[in-house]
Amino acid sequence: MTTPLSALPAGQAVALPDLSVISFSGADAATFLQGQLSNDIKAVTATQAHLAGYCTAKGRLLATLIVWAEQDGDGYLALVKSDIADALVKRLSMFVLRAKVVIRKTDAVVTGVLEDGATVAPSFSIRHRDDAIWILAPSPEAGACRWWRIGTAGHQEAQDNASYLQAWQSLDIRAGLPWITQAVQDLFIPQTLNLDLIGGVSFTKGCYPGQEVVARSHYRGTIKRRMACGQADAAAVPEGLALPGTDIFDALHPDNPCGRVINVAGDAQGKLWFLLEVQLADLDSAKFRLGSADGAEITIQALPYEIRPPVQ
């Protein structure tokens, strides 16, 4: 059984080996990133990071990144999932050509820190202290204040504990923050992962890979699938089944999958939390099941932001 993050004392850190940091250095770094990512790099600063996606030419996400400017110099840094970091560096480097940009995975150590009290700062706000970068992570509810800490060494009190890692990841899920991992690359456009709802897409910045597909879906209002949050009893899920990329079924219409798992993590109460890609039309009627039509029941849970279009 996992341990809730709230069991950690304030100031305690959680080792996050699943996250890596990529650097983009050089005089052309801003121009290069502006032409590659879904968000407007001109809005990124050393005190405010932004969420962004990196897509194929068909608009399918290969990565989600949290990007910010270096405090000194003309470079940028990006937080990504570790299992795609090396391949992402290799792919992006193919498009550098004659631009003055050096892309590399850094040796930075990422930890998560929970602090007492709420904060009025927006998500992805940055502060610099104790020779580290602190980025405010989104939280599922008011009163939670959690930070990604990025430094050359881990927080001195960091717990390298799989249960704490799961607890931290479950808060990402409940906050509606999607992470692209290797298992779900090239499956979703940014809108089906709600990036347009949480500040991860600019529709005015200009071209980037997949921009035409993303813009067309936005302006034609054709987004029929969205990311939702779900919960299941861990005891009902066979070991190894609750994985990113697993199909979701509707017990009322069992013949074909109706969705897919994006991210999953456990909590201390024996529950599994999921981010799921599903049809908006199914949210009020489907009986979601994991892996098969008679698999573990998944109940839809509220996200801290609205995913349905407003009633006209």
Side-chain angles (χ1 to χ4, degrees):
M1 184 175 291
T2 57
T3 304
L5 194 62
S6 58
L8 291 169
Q12 179 64 68
V14 182
L16 301 178
D18 62 316
L19 292 174
S20 294
V21 177
I22 295 174
S23 76
F24 302 84
S25 59
D28 296 332
T31 302
F32 175 79
L33 288 173
Q34 186 76 338
Q36 296 296 325
L37 303 184
S38 65
N39 216 337
D40 191 346
I41 294 303
K42 290 181 288 187
V44 173
T45 69
T47 58
Q48 182 64 54
H50 284 266
L51 179 66
Y54 175 58
C55 300
T56 67
K58 294 183 179 180
R60 303 282 178 159
L61 284 163
L62 294 176
T64 46
L65 314 88
I66 296 167
V67 186
W68 67 100
E70 291 192 87
Q71 192 174 23
D72 300 310
D74 53 9
Y76 293 82
L77 298 166
L79 196 62
V80 302
K81 280 294 186 178
S82 294
D83 69 338
I84 65 170
D86 288 326
L88 186 60
V89 168
K90 183 177 180 180
R91 181 183 176 92
L92 285 167
S93 296
M94 293 169 55
F95 300 100
V96 168
L97 303 178
R98 296 183 180 180
K100 296 178 181 178
V101 184
V102 176
I103 307 171
R104 67 181 183 88
K105 187 173 81 171
T106 75
D107 295 327
V109 177
V110 185
T111 51
V113 181
L114 183 71
E115 292 187 340
D116 277 334
T119 177
V120 295
S123 293
F124 309 127
S125 294
I126 296 174
R127 66 187 185 189
H128 297 83
R129 73 180 195 193
D130 65 16
D131 295 323
I133 299 163
W134 295 65
I135 304 176
L136 186 64
S139 292
E141 55 192 30
C145 183
R146 63 192 192 110
W147 299 84
W148 290 294
R149 180 191 181 277
I150 297 121
T152 55
H155 193 288
Q156 61 181 358
E157 301 295 334
Q159 295 288 321
D160 187 5
N161 183 302
S163 296
Y164 293 158
L165 174 60
Q166 285 271 305
W168 184 273
Q169 291 171 341
S170 74
L171 290 180
D172 282 348
I173 288 170
R174 292 171 56 199
L177 175 65
W179 287 104
I180 290 293
T181 61
Q182 190 175 48
V184 294
Q185 285 183 304
D186 203 13
L187 295 179
F188 310 109
I189 66 171
Q191 288 100 319
T192 57
L193 265 58
N194 301 348
L195 262 63
D196 57 324
L197 305 180
I198 54 176
V201 181
S202 169
F203 294 103
T204 60
K205 59 156 283 182
C207 294
Y208 57 89
Q211 181 265 341
E212 290 186 4
V213 175
V214 176
R216 188 182 310 122
S217 297
H218 173 72
Y219 289 112
R220 291 184 178 178
T222 56
I223 305 302
K224 306 298 183 184
R225 307 181 74 88
R226 282 289 186 182
M227 182 180 73
C229 182
Q231 187 188 78
D233 288 327
V237 178
E239 186 176 356
L241 180 59
L243 296 172
T246 299
D247 285 334
I248 301 298
F249 287 78
D250 178 1
L252 301 178
H253 304 281
D255 292 341
N256 297 298
C258 66
R260 193 179 270 124
V261 174
I262 304 160
N263 300 136
V264 60
D267 70 12
Q269 287 71 48
K271 302 292 185 180
L272 289 174
W273 289 87
F274 298 89
L275 287 176
L276 314 167
E277 181 249 11
V278 296
Q279 293 190 81
L280 281 170
D282 287 341
L283 284 176
D284 294 325
S285 59
K287 295 186 180 297
F288 294 112
R289 299 291 187 269
L290 180 66
S292 66
D294 58 356
E297 181 180 3
I298 299 173
T299 57
I300 297 299
Q301 306 293 314
L303 285 170
Y305 54 84
E306 183 60 54
I307 64 172
R308 302 172 193 255
V311 177
Q312 301 296 324

